[in-house]
Amino acid sequence: MPDTATPSVLFVCVHNAGRSQMAAAFLTHLAGDRVQVRSAGSAPADTVNPAVVEAMAEAGIDITAEVPKVLTVEAVQASDVVITMGCGDTCPVLPGKRYLDWELPDPAGQGVDAVRPIRDEIEQRIRGLIHEIAPASQA
């Protein structure tokens, strides 16, 4: 990871309507300004999955204003860490970036009961990521 004052993370999934939105929201909520956060999709949906919005609200995080965004090479270039979640080979791979692939179930078409365990798994992974790239002692 480049030696920058604030690490940057990009979360990518196909529709940018579920997993990547939850991950970005948790990282923003838990790390604050210690990390720059982006999310995008290789084929963005029109809106964020309503079950995802509801599940995140239950966790105290409001993502009602979020909209799916298209994945760009510029977003990858601007990020230190790129975390993919089921987007396969559609994510551009650039030298000097750290790539992680988080295998998580897709919440598309699922109700809030199915989204909760995905949300909880993402939160745990985000807590581990923060500990690794932006420990509180850096704040």
Side-chain angles (χ1 to χ4, degrees), residues 21-85:
Q21 290 283 352
M22 288 190 283
F26 271 123
L27 185 54
T28 299
H29 180 75
L30 296 171
D33 59 3
R34 291 183 291 155
V35 180
Q36 293 178 358
V37 182
R38 297 174 183 84
S39 72
S42 53
D46 293 329
T47 60
V48 174
N49 179 335
V52 167
V53 173
E54 182 178 344
M56 291 303 287
E58 291 174 357
I61 301 173
D62 180 7
I63 62 169
T64 56
E66 295 300 323
V67 293
K69 296 164 280 304
V70 68
L71 175 63
T72 64
V73 172
E74 292 79 17
V76 176
Q77 289 172 330
S79 302
D80 299 315
V81 181
V82 179
I83 299 175
T84 58
M85 303 171 174

Side-chain angles (χ1 to χ4, degrees), residues 86-99:
C87 68
D89 297 334
T90 61
C91 185
V93 176
L94 301 176
K97 304 297 175 189
R98 179 176 172 203
Y99 290 87

Side-chain angles (χ1 to χ4, degrees), residues 120-133:
D120 296 344
E121 174 68 18
I122 289 171
E123 180 181 9
Q124 289 309 307
R125 291 182 187 215
I126 292 298
R127 289 182 183 279
L129 180 69
I130 292 168
H131 180 73
E132 180 183 337
I133 68 169

